[in-house]
Amino acid sequence: MASKNEEKYGVIAGTAVNEVEKGVKNTVNTVKQTVSMAEKVGGFLKRDIGNEIAWLKLSPEEKAAKKEKEKQEAEEAKAAEEQKKADEAKAAAAEEQRLKELQKSYIVHTAAITCSFALHESYVVVPQGHGEFIHGIPQLNVGDSKPEINVRSFGICKSPQNPSVQENAKKIADEIKNRPKSFMEKVMDLFSKPPAKDVGKDLLAQCVGVCTPKIATEWIDGKEDVLVDGKPALLGKCKLQCSYGGEIKLYTSGQRE
């Protein structure tokens, strides 16, 4: 539908008037934002001056007490920050030790797993046990690598090789390509090359899709001298490769703590 300016001045002239009006509105908005910022700065200055006046009105004893309080608060804040860093370092060391111990642990039903292209953890399971149990929980072997049967979906995948990710990226690219263009964009199109139709790597890297594990191998590096149902026992150090590029690792053993 034509705008009022287009009806009044014609399509070309009316469109130009519209663009000018938009520019004026943008300028007005910029001025308003600048004024608002100036008012905020003025408020800060007023508050700082007020604080300085209040300080001058204090007695020497009150000033000394205030300085001592500020010093104490600064020391407490510093101590709290140092304690936070110490706690974080301790937690990181504990996690590192846990993962180190996990490497030699036997894996059982419902152990948590991670994928380098997943946003969340998932689980490795067995619909039916192999006859070996640890504390009553079915023990796994390297053959428990079948997608969806053993390796449950991670939910969301960000691998550029995943068709679901590629499809979502293409949808976004199509939406951008087919969106209504402004007058200036139409003018610029006359002097520039049309955008590429393929989906770029940058867009793919920002998209996600549905995780549907695609695995064609067994877990690597199982316990060769301990067999579970005829196959090497699954250990915490074992890894699995998804065809879409994700590296799947064990995050917990699944055993009761």
Side-chain angles (χ1 to χ4, degrees), residues 10 12-13 16 26 34 47 53 68 70 79 91 102 107 115 128 131 173 175 239 244 254:
I12 297 178
N26 290 337
T34 303
R47 185 183 63 190
I53 293 174
E68 182 61 29
E70 291 175 350
L102 174 65
I107 304 303
C115 175
Q128 185 174 354
E175 288 177 2
K239 297 179 181 179
Y244 298 139

Side-chain angles (χ1 to χ4, degrees), residues 230-241:
K231 291 189 176 184
L234 189 62
L235 294 176
K237 65 178 180 177
C238 293
K239 297 179 181 179
L240 198 58
Q241 192 71 36

Side-chain angles (χ1 to χ4, degrees), residues 10 25 30 37 40 56 61-62 96 100 139 161 174 177-178 182 223 244 252:
K25 289 180 180 179
T30 301
M37 185 179 296
K40 290 181 180 179
L56 293 174
E61 292 78 10
E62 289 174 328
E96 183 179 355
K100 184 177 180 180
Q139 187 175 353
Q161 301 177 44
D174 289 342
K177 179 182 176 182
N178 297 326
S182 67
K223 184 72 170 172
Y244 298 139
T252 67

Side-chain angles (χ1 to χ4, degrees), residues 97-117:
Q97 181 62 29
R98 185 190 72 80
L99 293 176
K100 184 177 180 180
E101 293 175 354
L102 174 65
Q103 301 295 300
K104 54 187 178 183
S105 298
Y106 291 114
I107 304 303
V108 299
H109 177 66
T110 69
I113 54 178
T114 62
C115 175
S116 56
F117 278 125

Side-chain angles (χ1 to χ4, degrees), residues 7-242:
E7 292 177 351
K8 184 176 181 180
Y9 301 108
V11 175
I12 297 178
T15 302
V17 171
N18 286 338
E19 293 299 322
V20 171
E21 289 179 348
K22 287 181 182 178
V24 172
K25 289 180 180 179
N26 290 337
T27 302
V28 171
N29 289 334
T30 301
V31 172
K32 287 182 178 179
Q33 291 173 0
T34 303
V35 172
S36 177
M37 185 179 296
E39 290 175 346
K40 290 181 180 179
V41 172
F44 294 147
L45 291 173
K46 183 178 180 181
R47 185 183 63 190
D48 293 341
I49 293 173
N51 291 338
E52 186 65 24
I53 293 174
W55 170 259
L56 293 174
K57 290 181 178 180
L58 295 176
S59 66
E61 292 78 10
E62 289 174 328
K63 289 180 179 180
K66 186 175 178 63
K67 285 184 176 181
E68 182 61 29
K69 181 180 179 181
E70 291 175 350
K71 179 181 178 181
Q72 183 178 353
E73 290 176 347
E75 290 176 349
E76 290 175 353
K78 182 179 179 181
E81 182 64 25
E82 290 177 350
Q83 184 62 48
K84 180 182 177 182
K85 290 181 179 179
D87 291 342
E88 290 175 348
K90 184 178 180 180
E95 177 66 4
E96 183 179 355
Q97 181 62 29
R98 185 190 72 80
L99 293 176
K100 184 177 180 180
E101 293 175 354
L102 174 65
Q103 301 295 300
K104 54 187 178 183
S105 298
Y106 291 114
I107 304 303
V108 299
H109 177 66
T110 69
I113 54 178
T114 62
C115 175
S116 56
F117 278 125
L119 300 182
H120 306 287
E121 298 171 7
S122 186
Y123 300 92
V124 57
V125 300
V126 282
Q128 185 174 354
H130 298 295
E132 300 291 340
F133 301 85
I134 297 179
H135 301 303
I137 306 176
Q139 187 175 353
L140 276 60
N141 64 32
V142 295
D144 295 319
S145 61
K146 300 175 184 63
E148 298 298 353
I149 296 175
N150 303 122
V151 179
R152 307 300 296 172
S153 170
F154 290 89
I156 298 175
C157 176
K158 57 181 182 178
S159 169
Q161 301 177 44
N162 186 332
S164 176
V165 176
Q166 296 173 359
E167 182 180 353
N168 288 338
K170 187 177 183 303
K171 287 180 180 178
I172 294 174
D174 289 342
E175 288 177 2
I176 295 174
K177 179 182 176 182
N178 297 326
R179 68 178 174 82
K181 293 184 178 181
S182 67
F183 173 74
M184 291 305 298
E185 287 176 322
K186 292 178 181 178
V187 172
M188 292 303 297
D189 284 347
L190 299 175
F191 303 96
S192 60
K193 295 181 180 180
K197 295 182 179 180
D198 59 328
V199 177
K201 293 182 179 179
D202 291 340
L203 178 57
L204 270 174
Q206 299 179 57
C207 292
V208 296
V210 177
C211 168
T212 306
K214 188 177 181 182
I215 302 165
T217 63
E218 295 187 341
W219 290 90
I220 300 171
D221 210 9
K223 184 72 170 172
E224 297 288 346
D225 56 350
V226 177
L227 301 182
V228 175
D229 198 12
K231 291 189 176 184
L234 189 62
L235 294 176
K237 65 178 180 177
C238 293
K239 297 179 181 179
L240 198 58
Q241 192 71 36
C242 176

